[in-house]
């Protein structure tokens, strides 16, 4: 599957198909009156190993250019206007997940200079210097086969390579019966790097351009949490003391079925989520309260590549399920 994805990517980026799929006329036709929600994670010259190896980092200079690509082809909206009626031109919303330090030290300066509104979906636990769940779990999966065996003792195929999505606090508890917790936590923090601080959040709240949203208290897979635990982690992460906090929610990991489903959507909407965001571009429709996002990475080095991938995605979605 990965080989097929790489082949499709190389074909799509060939000069001939870039001309076809990267056409602005095609883009304006396909995206008339549509809202595309872009997803970023870390913006840093020196990202942590976690953000680097998971292709979640973009260097500041390239990020600056990517925002220009977006603003040249879309009208960028403020998060508060997500439900407002739009005219025929393509619209965009800029979003970030997690709350890594580079977003506050690098991305904010660029966005402020360009007067570009954005929303930051925060895990408050690592902001308070508690362990970052996703970083810890992936660190353990990468370095300790024993931990993967605790999660998947029978080597079930649907778990292989995805053990990190199914890890629970009980798995962690069992693992640390045999390993030194403090030493591993220290190594895991080095692996996933620095997060923003409470002070960073409070400074961000002083700007009318930026909003803070909910990404659960820690980076748990919502689909494997029981209802009470999901509600607890959502409510614990409601940062109402910030004047720019919105009850908008972004799923950690954000993939359909494995990380969210109709039931989790229903629970979150019932407890007050005004909009829900996934991390996969199943469609660019906005006729419900669940919005799908389009993730950018370091491969988006020109507006032609951006338009080509967007056009390809919408055409592909037309022939596949878009629920």
């Amino acid at each position: 599957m990965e080989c097929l994805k790489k082949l499709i990517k190389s074909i799509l980026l060939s000069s001939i198909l870039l001309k076809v799929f990267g056409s602005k006329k095609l883009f304006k036709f396909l995206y008339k009156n549509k809202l595309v929600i872009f997803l970023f994670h870390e913006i840093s010259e020196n990202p942590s190993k976690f953000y680097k190896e998971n292709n979640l980092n973009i260097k500041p200079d390239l990020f600056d250019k990517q925002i220009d690509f977006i603003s040249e082809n879309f009208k960028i909206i403020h998060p508060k206007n997500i439900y407002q009626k739009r005219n025929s031109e393509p619209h965009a919303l800029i979003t970030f997940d997690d709350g890594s330090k580079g977003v506050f030290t690098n991305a904010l300066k660029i966005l402020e200079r360009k007067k570009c509104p954005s929303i930051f979906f925060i895990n408050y636990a690592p902001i308070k210097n508690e362990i970052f769940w996703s970083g810890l779990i992936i660190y353990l999966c990468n370095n300790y086969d024993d931990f993967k065996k605790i999660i998947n003792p029978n080597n079930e195929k649907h778990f292989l390579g995805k053990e990190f999505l199914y890890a629970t606090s009980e798995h962690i508890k069992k693992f640390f019966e045999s390993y030194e917790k403090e030493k591993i936590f220290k190594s895991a923090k080095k692996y996933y790097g620095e997060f923003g601080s409470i002070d960073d959040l409070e400074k961000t709240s002083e700007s009318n351009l930026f909003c803070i949203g909910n990404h659960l208290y820690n980076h748990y897979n919502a689909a494997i949490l029981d209802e009470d635990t999901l509600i607890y982690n959502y409510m614990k992460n409601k940062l109402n003391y910030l004047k720019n906090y919105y009850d908008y929610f972004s799923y950690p990991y954000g993939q359909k079925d494995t990380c969210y489903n109709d039931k989790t959507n229903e629970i979150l909407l019932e407890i007050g989520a005004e909009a829900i965001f996934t991390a996969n571009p199943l469609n660019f429709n906005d006729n419900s309260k669940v919005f799908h996002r389009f993730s950018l990475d370091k491969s988006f080095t020109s507006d032609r590549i951006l338009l080509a991938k967007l056009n390809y995605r919408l055409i592909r979605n037309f022939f596949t399920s878009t629920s």
Side-chain angles (χ1 to χ4, degrees):
M1 181 58 100
E2 283 303 313
C3 290
L4 179 59
K5 285 181 180 178
K6 287 180 181 179
L7 177 62
I8 292 172
K9 183 177 180 180
S10 64
I11 292 172
L12 182 60
L13 294 179
S14 69
S15 58
I16 295 173
L17 286 183
L18 265 182
K19 287 181 181 178
V20 176
F21 282 102
S23 162
K24 286 199 176 187
K25 287 185 178 179
L26 178 62
F27 165 76
K28 288 183 178 180
F29 171 75
L30 292 175
Y31 285 87
K32 181 179 180 180
N33 199 37
K34 288 196 178 296
L35 171 65
V36 177
I37 303 173
F38 291 100
L39 168 59
F40 298 92
H41 285 85
E42 173 68 309
I43 310 297
S44 176
E45 286 289 348
N46 300 294
S48 67
K49 190 174 180 181
F50 169 81
Y51 283 104
K52 190 173 182 179
E53 71 183 16
N54 289 293
N55 197 26
L56 296 173
N57 180 66
I58 297 170
K59 291 190 174 184
D61 285 350
L62 178 56
F63 174 70
D64 192 311
K65 292 175 183 176
Q66 289 177 344
I67 295 299
D68 284 342
F69 301 155
I70 294 169
S71 61
E72 287 164 8
N73 293 286
F74 294 86
K75 179 180 180 181
I76 299 177
I77 67 168
H78 193 282
K80 69 182 179 182
N81 297 327
I82 195 167
Y83 289 115
Q84 276 191 2
K85 187 176 180 180
R86 295 182 295 278
N87 56 28
S88 61
E89 65 184 312
H91 289 65
L93 175 62
I94 308 299
T95 74
F96 296 80
D97 279 2
D98 302 346
S100 56
K101 189 66 175 179
V103 168
F104 294 99
T105 57
N106 299 310
L108 279 174
K109 292 176 185 176
I110 294 168
L111 294 167
E112 200 150 36
R113 173 164 47 83
K114 295 178 184 294
K115 294 182 169 41
C116 178
S118 315
I119 184 166
F120 304 87
F121 293 102
I122 299 298
N123 298 121
Y124 201 42
I127 294 288
K128 293 169 63 180
N129 205 34
E130 296 175 22
I131 202 73
F132 176 47
W133 177 264
S134 179
L136 171 65
I137 298 304
I138 292 176
Y139 173 78
L140 293 178
C141 286
N142 288 348
N143 292 280
Y144 295 90
D145 287 339
D146 287 354
F147 182 62
K148 290 193 286 187
K149 286 177 183 176
I150 291 171
I151 300 170
N152 185 21
N154 300 318
N155 281 328
E156 295 179 48
K157 285 186 178 180
H158 69 283
F159 280 107
L160 293 176
K162 297 180 180 178
E163 288 90 352
F164 68 96
L165 291 174
Y166 301 97
T168 68
S169 56
E170 289 302 312
H171 296 140
I172 288 288
K173 184 178 179 181
K174 185 173 182 180
F175 175 78
F176 281 122
E177 288 173 0
S178 305
Y179 290 90
E180 187 180 338
K181 184 176 180 179
E182 187 175 329
K183 183 178 178 181
I184 289 177
F185 269 31
K186 185 177 180 180
S187 297
K189 286 187 174 185
K190 182 179 179 181
Y191 167 69
Y192 64 71
E194 191 178 0
F195 271 67
S197 64
I198 292 174
D199 188 51
D200 288 325
L201 284 185
E202 291 175 349
K203 286 179 181 177
T204 303
S205 74
E206 294 169 5
S207 172
N208 292 327
L209 284 173
F210 308 129
C211 303
I212 302 298
N214 197 325
H215 201 43
L216 292 185
Y217 183 70
N218 216 329
H219 205 282
Y220 303 121
N221 179 356
I224 67 169
L225 299 179
D226 62 63
E227 183 172 344
D228 288 344
T229 306
L230 176 58
I231 292 172
Y232 173 79
N233 277 279
Y234 179 88
M235 300 305 289
K236 192 175 181 181
N237 208 54
K238 277 173 67 81
L239 307 180
N240 288 323
Y241 76 94
L242 297 171
K243 62 183 179 183
N244 63 341
Y245 175 78
Y246 278 65
D247 262 326
Y248 290 178
F249 176 76
S250 145
Y251 278 112
Y253 308 109
Q255 300 304 303
K256 189 174 186 290
D257 297 327
T258 54
C259 306
Y260 73 90
N261 51 51
D262 290 343
K263 180 62 177 176
T264 58
N265 288 343
E266 181 183 327
I267 292 168
L268 292 163
L269 291 171
E270 282 182 357
I271 62 173
E274 295 175 7
I276 293 174
F277 298 82
T278 76
N280 48 1
L282 294 177
N283 61 53
F284 299 111
N285 301 328
D286 57 351
N287 52 7
S288 75
K289 290 191 173 184
V290 180
F291 297 85
H292 303 298
R293 293 182 292 172
F294 187 87
S295 184
L296 293 193
D297 59 34
K298 62 186 178 184
S299 70
F300 291 81
T301 55
S302 72
D303 64 341
R304 182 61 69 100
I305 292 174
L306 174 65
L307 298 185
K309 290 189 176 184
L310 282 169
N311 289 340
Y312 167 75
R313 169 55 69 172
L314 201 60
I315 292 168
R316 174 184 167 185
N317 286 352
F318 181 77
F319 294 101
T320 57
S321 173
T322 58
S323 59

